[in-house]
Amino acid sequence: MLVRLLETPSPTGFTEQAVALVAAELEALGITPARTRKGALTWEVPGTGEGHVTFSGHVDTLGAMVKAIKPSGRLLLSALGGYDWATVEGEDVLVHTQEGRAITGTVVNVRQSTHVHGPALRELRREPSVMEVRLDEDTRSASETRNLGIGVGDFVSFDARPRVTPAGYIKARHLDNKAAVAVFLGVTRELLGAPPARTVAFHVTTYEEVGHGAATGIPAHTDELVAVDMAAVGEGQTSSEHHVTLCVADSGGPYDHALGNRLRAAARRAGLELRIDLYPYYASDGTAAWRAGGDYPVALIGPGVDASHAYERTHTDALEATATLILAHVRAGERSGAPEA
Protein backbone atom coordinates (compact mmCIF):
# COMPACT_ATOMS: atom_id res chain seq x y z
CA MET A 1 0.00 0.00 0.00
CA LEU A 2 2.85 2.37 0.78
CA VAL A 3 4.40 1.79 -2.65
CA ARG A 4 1.04 2.46 -4.32
CA LEU A 5 0.72 5.71 -2.38
CA LEU A 6 4.25 6.74 -3.28
CA GLU A 7 3.55 6.10 -6.96
CA THR A 8 0.47 8.37 -6.83
CA PRO A 9 1.35 12.06 -7.37
CA SER A 10 0.09 14.36 -4.62
CA PRO A 11 2.00 17.64 -4.32
CA THR A 12 0.39 20.05 -1.88
CA GLY A 13 -2.83 21.36 -3.43
CA PHE A 14 -3.08 18.48 -5.93
CA THR A 15 -3.89 15.52 -3.71
CA GLU A 16 -7.19 14.17 -5.02
CA GLN A 17 -5.77 10.96 -6.51
CA ALA A 18 -3.95 9.99 -3.32
CA VAL A 19 -6.95 10.82 -1.13
CA ALA A 20 -9.16 8.73 -3.41
CA LEU A 21 -6.73 5.81 -3.14
CA VAL A 22 -6.86 5.92 0.67
CA ALA A 23 -10.66 6.25 0.62
CA ALA A 24 -10.99 3.22 -1.68
CA GLU A 25 -8.81 1.14 0.64
CA LEU A 26 -10.98 2.13 3.62
CA GLU A 27 -14.19 1.34 1.76
CA ALA A 28 -12.80 -2.13 1.01
CA LEU A 29 -12.51 -2.53 4.79
CA GLY A 30 -16.13 -1.48 5.26
CA ILE A 31 -15.35 2.06 6.43
CA THR A 32 -16.89 5.13 4.82
CA PRO A 33 -14.50 8.04 5.51
CA ALA A 34 -15.62 11.65 5.78
CA ARG A 35 -14.16 14.43 3.64
CA THR A 36 -13.69 17.94 4.97
CA ARG A 37 -14.41 20.90 2.72
CA LYS A 38 -10.66 21.50 2.73
CA GLY A 39 -10.07 18.04 1.27
CA ALA A 40 -8.83 16.13 4.31
CA LEU A 41 -9.96 12.58 5.06
CA THR A 42 -11.20 11.41 8.48
CA TRP A 43 -12.40 8.05 9.75
CA GLU A 44 -13.04 6.47 13.15
CA VAL A 45 -12.92 3.05 14.80
CA PRO A 46 -15.31 3.00 17.80
CA GLY A 47 -13.87 2.02 21.18
CA THR A 48 -15.28 -0.16 23.94
CA GLY A 49 -15.00 2.59 26.57
CA GLU A 50 -14.81 6.34 27.00
CA GLY A 51 -12.27 8.70 25.47
CA HIS A 52 -11.24 9.76 21.99
CA VAL A 53 -7.74 9.95 20.54
CA THR A 54 -6.99 11.33 17.08
CA PHE A 55 -3.93 10.51 14.98
CA SER A 56 -3.04 13.02 12.29
CA GLY A 57 -0.85 12.45 9.24
CA HIS A 58 -0.60 14.01 5.79
CA VAL A 59 -0.75 12.71 2.24
CA ASP A 60 0.45 15.89 0.52
CA THR A 61 4.08 16.04 -0.56
CA LEU A 62 6.74 18.40 -1.79
CA GLY A 63 6.33 19.51 -5.38
CA ALA A 64 6.20 22.60 -7.57
CA MET A 65 4.05 24.76 -9.83
CA VAL A 66 4.85 26.27 -13.20
CA LYS A 67 6.00 29.84 -12.51
CA ALA A 68 6.77 30.82 -16.11
CA ILE A 69 7.37 29.44 -19.59
CA LYS A 70 10.80 30.52 -20.82
CA PRO A 71 11.47 31.65 -24.42
CA SER A 72 13.28 28.33 -24.88
CA GLY A 73 10.07 26.43 -24.07
CA ARG A 74 11.46 25.20 -20.77
CA LEU A 75 9.70 25.90 -17.47
CA LEU A 76 10.59 27.95 -14.43
CA LEU A 77 9.23 26.50 -11.18
CA SER A 78 7.88 27.76 -7.87
CA ALA A 79 8.53 25.36 -4.99
CA LEU A 80 5.75 23.78 -2.95
CA GLY A 81 7.18 22.99 0.47
CA GLY A 82 10.59 23.45 1.98
CA TYR A 83 13.39 21.76 0.10
CA ASP A 84 16.76 22.66 -1.30
CA TRP A 85 16.81 22.91 -5.09
CA ALA A 86 19.91 20.72 -5.22
CA THR A 87 17.84 17.79 -3.90
CA VAL A 88 15.58 17.78 -6.99
CA GLU A 89 18.20 18.42 -9.64
CA GLY A 90 18.08 15.59 -12.20
CA GLU A 91 14.68 14.36 -10.98
CA ASP A 92 11.99 13.21 -13.39
CA VAL A 93 8.70 15.10 -13.11
CA LEU A 94 5.16 15.13 -14.38
CA VAL A 95 3.56 18.41 -15.43
CA HIS A 96 -0.18 18.14 -14.80
CA THR A 97 -2.12 20.24 -17.29
CA GLN A 98 -5.62 21.67 -16.95
CA GLU A 99 -6.78 19.27 -19.67
CA GLY A 100 -5.71 16.27 -17.58
CA ARG A 101 -2.49 15.41 -19.43
CA ALA A 102 0.64 14.41 -17.52
CA ILE A 103 3.68 15.52 -19.53
CA THR A 104 7.07 14.15 -18.53
CA GLY A 105 10.22 16.16 -18.03
CA THR A 106 13.37 16.51 -15.94
CA VAL A 107 14.61 19.19 -13.53
CA VAL A 108 17.95 20.52 -14.80
CA ASN A 109 19.96 23.67 -14.27
CA VAL A 110 20.92 26.20 -16.92
CA ARG A 111 24.55 24.98 -16.96
CA GLN A 112 23.88 21.27 -16.65
CA SER A 113 26.58 20.00 -19.04
CA THR A 114 30.07 19.93 -17.57
CA HIS A 115 31.45 19.55 -21.12
CA VAL A 116 29.90 22.88 -22.10
CA HIS A 117 30.29 24.94 -18.93
CA GLY A 118 33.19 23.29 -17.14
CA PRO A 119 33.89 24.73 -13.65
CA ALA A 120 30.93 27.14 -13.96
CA LEU A 121 28.64 24.15 -13.32
CA ARG A 122 30.27 23.38 -9.98
CA GLU A 123 30.18 27.04 -8.96
CA LEU A 124 26.48 27.47 -9.75
CA ARG A 125 24.27 28.14 -6.74
CA ARG A 126 21.07 26.09 -7.02
CA GLU A 127 18.16 28.50 -6.72
CA PRO A 128 14.83 28.97 -8.57
CA SER A 129 16.19 31.30 -11.26
CA VAL A 130 18.71 28.74 -12.56
CA MET A 131 16.54 25.60 -12.33
CA GLU A 132 14.19 24.61 -15.15
CA VAL A 133 12.13 21.71 -16.45
CA ARG A 134 13.35 20.19 -19.72
CA LEU A 135 10.19 18.77 -21.27
CA ASP A 136 10.19 15.44 -23.10
CA GLU A 137 8.38 17.01 -26.03
CA ASP A 138 9.47 18.62 -29.30
CA THR A 139 9.27 22.21 -28.09
CA ARG A 140 11.77 25.03 -28.58
CA SER A 141 9.65 28.08 -27.79
CA ALA A 142 7.12 29.36 -25.29
CA SER A 143 4.32 29.17 -27.85
CA GLU A 144 5.09 25.52 -28.65
CA THR A 145 5.01 24.68 -24.94
CA ARG A 146 1.71 26.50 -24.48
CA ASN A 147 0.35 24.50 -27.42
CA LEU A 148 1.01 21.35 -25.39
CA GLY A 149 -1.58 22.64 -22.93
CA ILE A 150 0.96 23.74 -20.31
CA GLY A 151 0.32 27.01 -18.49
CA VAL A 152 1.39 29.04 -15.51
CA GLY A 153 -0.03 27.50 -12.32
CA ASP A 154 0.07 23.89 -13.49
CA PHE A 155 1.17 21.47 -10.78
CA VAL A 156 4.46 19.60 -11.09
CA SER A 157 5.09 16.35 -9.21
CA PHE A 158 8.44 14.69 -8.58
CA ASP A 159 8.94 11.00 -9.37
CA ALA A 160 8.97 9.23 -5.98
CA ARG A 161 11.07 6.30 -7.32
CA PRO A 162 10.02 3.86 -4.56
CA ARG A 163 12.28 0.86 -3.97
CA VAL A 164 11.96 -1.93 -1.39
CA THR A 165 15.29 -3.64 -0.85
CA PRO A 166 15.88 -7.28 0.16
CA ALA A 167 17.15 -6.02 3.54
CA GLY A 168 13.83 -4.32 4.30
CA TYR A 169 14.78 -0.74 3.51
CA ILE A 170 12.29 1.47 1.68
CA LYS A 171 13.78 4.24 -0.48
CA ALA A 172 11.65 6.95 -2.06
CA ARG A 173 10.73 10.55 -2.19
CA HIS A 174 7.70 11.44 -0.08
CA LEU A 175 8.04 8.87 2.71
CA ASP A 176 7.22 12.16 4.43
CA ASN A 177 4.44 11.46 5.11
CA LYS A 178 2.94 8.63 3.11
CA ALA A 179 4.68 6.21 5.44
CA ALA A 180 2.39 7.35 8.27
CA VAL A 181 -0.74 7.09 6.10
CA ALA A 182 0.15 3.49 5.20
CA VAL A 183 0.68 2.78 8.91
CA PHE A 184 -2.78 4.24 9.65
CA LEU A 185 -4.36 1.80 7.21
CA GLY A 186 -2.53 -1.14 8.74
CA VAL A 187 -3.49 -0.08 12.26
CA THR A 188 -7.11 0.38 11.18
CA ARG A 189 -7.23 -3.24 9.97
CA GLU A 190 -5.88 -4.38 13.34
CA LEU A 191 -8.39 -2.31 15.31
CA LEU A 192 -11.34 -3.63 13.30
CA GLY A 193 -10.37 -7.13 14.43
CA ALA A 194 -9.86 -6.13 18.08
CA PRO A 195 -11.69 -2.92 19.07
CA PRO A 196 -9.64 -0.38 21.06
CA ALA A 197 -10.40 0.81 24.58
CA ARG A 198 -11.04 4.32 23.28
CA THR A 199 -12.53 5.57 20.04
CA VAL A 200 -9.70 6.18 17.58
CA ALA A 201 -9.87 8.71 14.75
CA PHE A 202 -7.44 9.13 11.87
CA HIS A 203 -7.19 12.50 10.15
CA VAL A 204 -5.23 12.68 6.88
CA THR A 205 -4.49 16.25 5.82
CA THR A 206 -3.60 17.72 2.43
CA TYR A 207 -1.73 20.98 3.17
CA GLU A 208 0.83 20.05 5.83
CA GLU A 209 3.86 20.85 3.69
CA VAL A 210 2.78 24.51 3.54
CA GLY A 211 1.98 24.74 7.25
CA HIS A 212 -1.80 24.68 7.67
CA GLY A 213 -2.87 21.06 7.13
CA ALA A 214 -4.49 20.33 10.52
CA ALA A 215 -5.52 23.92 11.24
CA THR A 216 -9.09 22.69 10.64
CA GLY A 217 -10.85 19.36 10.59
CA ILE A 218 -9.65 17.68 13.81
CA PRO A 219 -12.74 15.94 15.29
CA ALA A 220 -14.40 18.20 17.87
CA HIS A 221 -14.53 15.46 20.52
CA THR A 222 -10.76 14.81 20.42
CA ASP A 223 -9.28 14.32 23.91
CA GLU A 224 -5.71 14.14 22.64
CA LEU A 225 -3.97 14.53 19.29
CA VAL A 226 -0.95 12.50 18.21
CA ALA A 227 0.67 13.77 15.02
CA VAL A 228 2.46 10.98 13.15
CA ASP A 229 5.17 12.15 10.77
CA MET A 230 8.74 11.30 9.85
CA ALA A 231 11.47 11.38 12.48
CA ALA A 232 14.48 13.08 10.90
CA VAL A 233 17.67 10.99 10.99
CA GLY A 234 21.07 12.66 10.88
CA GLU A 235 24.13 13.88 12.73
CA GLY A 236 23.26 15.10 16.22
CA GLN A 237 19.89 13.30 16.28
CA THR A 238 18.90 10.15 18.20
CA SER A 239 16.34 9.00 15.60
CA SER A 240 16.98 5.79 13.67
CA GLU A 241 15.60 4.17 10.52
CA HIS A 242 14.89 1.08 12.65
CA HIS A 243 12.93 2.73 15.47
CA VAL A 244 9.94 4.91 16.29
CA THR A 245 10.71 8.33 17.76
CA LEU A 246 8.90 10.62 20.17
CA CYS A 247 9.67 14.22 19.20
CA VAL A 248 9.41 16.28 22.38
CA ALA A 249 10.04 19.69 20.75
CA ASP A 250 10.50 21.29 17.34
CA SER A 251 10.46 24.79 15.86
CA GLY A 252 7.01 25.34 17.37
CA GLY A 253 8.25 24.62 20.89
CA PRO A 254 7.69 21.67 23.24
CA TYR A 255 4.85 19.20 22.84
CA ASP A 256 2.64 18.10 25.75
CA HIS A 257 4.77 16.50 28.45
CA ALA A 258 2.07 14.36 30.05
CA LEU A 259 0.90 12.92 26.71
CA GLY A 260 4.51 12.26 25.82
CA ASN A 261 4.91 10.34 29.05
CA ARG A 262 1.84 8.24 28.29
CA LEU A 263 3.40 7.34 24.94
CA ARG A 264 6.65 6.46 26.72
CA ALA A 265 4.67 4.16 29.02
CA ALA A 266 2.93 2.56 26.02
CA ALA A 267 6.33 1.92 24.42
CA ARG A 268 7.57 0.23 27.59
CA ARG A 269 4.49 -2.00 27.74
CA ALA A 270 5.04 -3.00 24.12
CA GLY A 271 8.75 -3.66 24.62
CA LEU A 272 9.76 -0.95 22.16
CA GLU A 273 13.00 1.02 22.17
CA LEU A 274 11.48 4.48 21.84
CA ARG A 275 13.90 7.15 20.63
CA ILE A 276 13.49 10.69 22.01
CA ASP A 277 14.49 13.63 19.81
CA LEU A 278 14.14 17.36 19.07
CA TYR A 279 14.05 18.98 15.62
CA PRO A 280 14.92 22.69 15.41
CA TYR A 281 13.98 23.03 11.69
CA TYR A 282 10.70 21.09 11.79
CA ALA A 283 7.00 21.66 12.36
CA SER A 284 4.06 19.26 12.20
CA ASP A 285 0.31 19.12 11.81
CA GLY A 286 0.21 19.12 15.60
CA THR A 287 1.76 22.58 15.58
CA ALA A 288 -0.79 23.78 13.02
CA ALA A 289 -3.68 22.40 15.10
CA TRP A 290 -2.45 24.10 18.26
CA ARG A 291 -1.84 27.44 16.53
CA ALA A 292 -5.38 27.29 15.16
CA GLY A 293 -6.73 27.04 18.71
CA GLY A 294 -6.88 23.29 19.31
CA ASP A 295 -7.74 22.69 22.99
CA TYR A 296 -6.14 19.29 23.58
CA PRO A 297 -2.69 17.93 24.35
CA VAL A 298 -0.52 17.20 21.32
CA ALA A 299 2.38 14.82 20.81
CA LEU A 300 4.48 13.91 17.77
CA ILE A 301 5.78 10.44 16.90
CA GLY A 302 7.04 8.79 13.73
CA PRO A 303 9.35 6.33 12.01
CA GLY A 304 12.95 7.35 11.45
CA VAL A 305 13.57 8.66 7.92
CA ASP A 306 17.03 9.43 6.55
CA ALA A 307 17.69 12.31 4.09
CA SER A 308 14.39 14.06 4.82
CA HIS A 309 12.96 16.21 2.00
CA ALA A 310 15.37 14.57 -0.45
CA TYR A 311 15.55 10.95 -1.65
CA GLU A 312 14.51 9.46 1.67
CA ARG A 313 14.94 6.06 3.29
CA THR A 314 13.42 4.14 6.18
CA HIS A 315 13.13 0.50 7.22
CA THR A 316 10.13 -1.73 7.77
CA ASP A 317 11.34 -2.02 11.39
CA ALA A 318 10.47 1.64 11.96
CA LEU A 319 7.04 1.31 10.33
CA GLU A 320 6.21 -1.75 12.43
CA ALA A 321 7.43 -0.03 15.60
CA THR A 322 5.26 3.02 14.86
CA ALA A 323 2.20 0.83 14.36
CA THR A 324 2.98 -1.11 17.54
CA LEU A 325 3.26 2.10 19.57
CA ILE A 326 -0.06 3.41 18.24
CA LEU A 327 -1.80 0.13 19.10
CA ALA A 328 -0.26 0.00 22.57
CA HIS A 329 -1.36 3.55 23.27
CA VAL A 330 -4.98 3.17 22.18
CA ARG A 331 -5.42 -0.17 23.94
CA ALA A 332 -4.21 1.19 27.27
CA GLY A 333 -7.62 2.62 28.21
CA GLU A 334 -5.95 5.77 29.59
CA ARG A 335 -7.80 9.02 29.09
CA SER A 336 -6.19 12.38 28.45
CA GLY A 337 -4.90 13.82 31.70
CA ALA A 338 -4.51 10.46 33.45
CA PRO A 339 -1.56 10.46 35.90
CA GLU A 340 1.57 8.62 34.90
CA ALA A 341 2.23 5.62 37.17
Side-chain angles (χ1 to χ4, degrees), residues 183-307:
V183 167
F184 287 175
L185 292 169
V187 167
T188 298
R189 292 189 195 97
E190 290 290 321
L191 294 178
L192 290 174
R198 294 176 287 171
T199 293
V200 178
F202 298 94
H203 183 64
V204 174
T205 68
T206 54
Y207 286 97
E208 192 275 348
E209 291 293 0
V210 286
H212 58 86
T216 59
I218 299 297
H221 46 296
T222 295
D223 293 324
E224 60 185 29
L225 174 65
V226 180
V228 185
D229 210 325
M230 64 166 184
V233 173
E235 184 178 357
Q237 305 299 139
T238 69
S239 299
S240 155
E241 294 173 84
H242 296 270
H243 298 85
V244 60
T245 293
L246 171 68
C247 173
V248 294
D250 60 19
S251 64
Y255 288 95
D256 188 81
H257 182 61
L259 177 52
N261 283 344
R262 293 196 290 278
L263 287 161
R264 292 179 197 236
R268 290 194 294 270
R269 289 193 301 272
L272 292 171
E273 181 184 340
L274 180 66
R275 298 296 177 94
I276 310 299
D277 220 335
L278 296 83
Y279 307 121
Y281 306 111
Y282 189 118
S284 77
D285 263 338
T287 306
W290 254 352
R291 286 176 173 165
D295 186 19
Y296 32 69
V298 176
L300 171 62
I301 64 171
V305 172
D306 186 60

Side-chain angles (χ1 to χ4, degrees), residues 6-82:
L6 291 167
E7 291 175 338
T8 304
S10 58
T12 294
F14 191 77
T15 55
E16 184 59 35
Q17 285 184 317
V19 171
L21 178 60
V22 176
E25 186 74 5
L26 291 167
E27 288 163 2
L29 295 174
I31 295 174
T32 302
R35 289 287 296 273
T36 70
R37 288 189 291 270
K38 192 175 177 179
L41 199 67
T42 304
W43 68 96
E44 291 191 354
V45 179
T48 58
E50 297 182 348
H52 189 289
V53 55
T54 297
F55 294 90
S56 178
H58 66 93
V59 77
D60 64 303
T61 71
L62 305 175
M65 298 180 84
V66 175
K67 174 67 173 64
I69 301 174
K70 301 177 72 172
S72 64
R74 296 189 178 192
L75 309 177
L76 281 178
L77 297 178
S78 178
L80 295 175

